[in-house]
Amino acid sequence: MNKKKFLSWPGIAALALVGLLGVSNANADLLVDRGLPTDNLNNAAGANRSNVAWVFGGYTSADYWLVGDSITNTSSQTWSIDTIRLWTIGSTSTAALWGGIEGSNMGLLSSSSIISSALYANSATYQGYSGGSVNLYQVDFNVNILLAAGETFDFFLDGTGSSYTVPFAHASNAALSGSLQEGADDLMLWANIVNGSLDLTSVGTWSSLGNGWDKASDVNVQVFGSAVPEPATLALVALGIAGLGFGRRRKV
């Protein structure tokens, strides 16, 4: 008689959980799309231009400020975030990302980034305020973040290569961008780095309207990852598959 091996229901349930989580992590989805504008961009700076680049200057390498922004999980599921994509303007030798869940501790998320070749829509350059061409780069940060439903995550761009200590962060006005600008609120964040640490008491919001620009802006960002099934859902699926195992055992 042929012998057949059957997994006990705990074993089947464990395999079900592993299978579901494996599928979830293997297929990265675009969770937040506040990417580059598609309208009113890369033209002479003026009232109709959607995009601009920001940096705070005048500080030393041990005491400087970062431009940042926030993303909010507006879904009903926890997000497992593996990539945060930003864009920088001008010289970008290295890029780093600071951040944390709003209201909690913040730290260096990633000092390892993938910096693209110069790009900008269908052009290789970005037109600066004076009319000259400046390179724009896409920067991908590999991260490992769990963001629960309703939670907000703050992030800040750091790095080297700019004459202003850190690279310029690309931003745009949502109303003029012509593209999906999820989570845009016409506000950005700032934070102070002092002796290699982020000063939590320095984190605050600011608007580019009237602060060197004639319109409000949000940092352009895209967030990739997957929605993590809630524990109750996982348990129900696992029990359902376990039930199939019992049914098959009875028929053999």
Side-chain angles (χ1 to χ4, degrees):
M1 182 176 70
N2 292 331
K3 293 182 178 180
K4 295 182 180 179
K5 293 183 178 180
F6 294 91
L7 288 171
S8 63
W9 77 264
I12 295 173
L15 283 178
L17 295 178
V18 170
L20 283 172
L21 291 175
V23 170
S24 177
N25 291 330
N27 301 290
D29 297 320
L30 182 56
L31 301 174
V32 176
D33 189 2
R34 200 159 75 225
L36 292 179
T38 56
D39 288 345
N40 304 307
L41 75 166
N42 207 25
N43 56 337
N48 293 324
R49 180 167 172 155
S50 61
N51 56 313
V52 67
W54 293 107
V55 73
F56 299 111
Y59 302 92
T60 69
S61 59
D63 184 354
Y64 57 96
W65 291 77
L66 303 179
V67 175
D69 214 319
S70 61
I71 55 174
T72 300
N73 181 351
T74 57
S75 76
S76 59
Q77 292 182 297
T78 296
W79 285 348
S80 175
I81 300 171
D82 56 46
T83 304
I84 293 179
R85 174 175 294 167
L86 303 177
W87 289 266
T88 66
I89 302 295
S91 300
T92 306
S93 300
T94 66
L97 193 67
W98 294 80
I101 295 173
E102 196 169 86
S104 66
N105 290 332
M106 297 189 189
L108 186 63
L109 296 173
S110 177
S111 58
S112 175
S113 58
I114 300 173
I115 303 173
S116 73
S117 300
L119 61 90
Y120 195 80
N122 295 319
S123 172
T125 57
Y126 167 95
Q127 188 175 31
Y129 180 79
S130 63
S133 295
V134 186
N135 287 335
L136 179 146
Y137 300 92
Q138 176 180 296
V139 184
D140 287 352
F141 296 97
N142 294 322
V143 296
N144 183 15
I145 300 166
L146 285 178
L147 190 64
E151 285 187 329
T152 295
F153 192 87
D154 297 339
F155 61 88
F156 304 89
L157 174 66
D158 199 351
T160 61
S162 167
S163 59
Y164 286 90
T165 303
V166 298
F168 283 75
H170 189 273
S172 68
N173 174 264
L176 294 173
S177 290
S179 57
L180 193 63
Q181 296 292 309
E182 294 179 334
D185 60 3
D186 291 336
L187 293 172
M188 291 182 283
L189 300 178
W190 58 26
N192 190 201
I193 301 293
V194 181
N195 296 322
S197 297
L198 190 149
D199 178 10
L200 288 175
T201 64
S202 72
V203 176
T205 60
W206 65 286
S207 172
S208 60
L209 177 61
N211 288 297
W213 193 235
D214 63 352
K215 56 185 71 69
S217 309
D218 290 274
V219 172
N220 292 117
V221 58
Q222 288 181 325
V223 177
F224 297 87
S226 55
V228 179
E230 297 299 323
T233 302
L234 288 174
L236 287 174
V237 172
L239 288 173
I241 295 176
L244 291 177
F246 280 126
R248 183 179 179 187
R249 183 189 290 271
R250 285 196 299 268
K251 290 179 181 178
V252 175

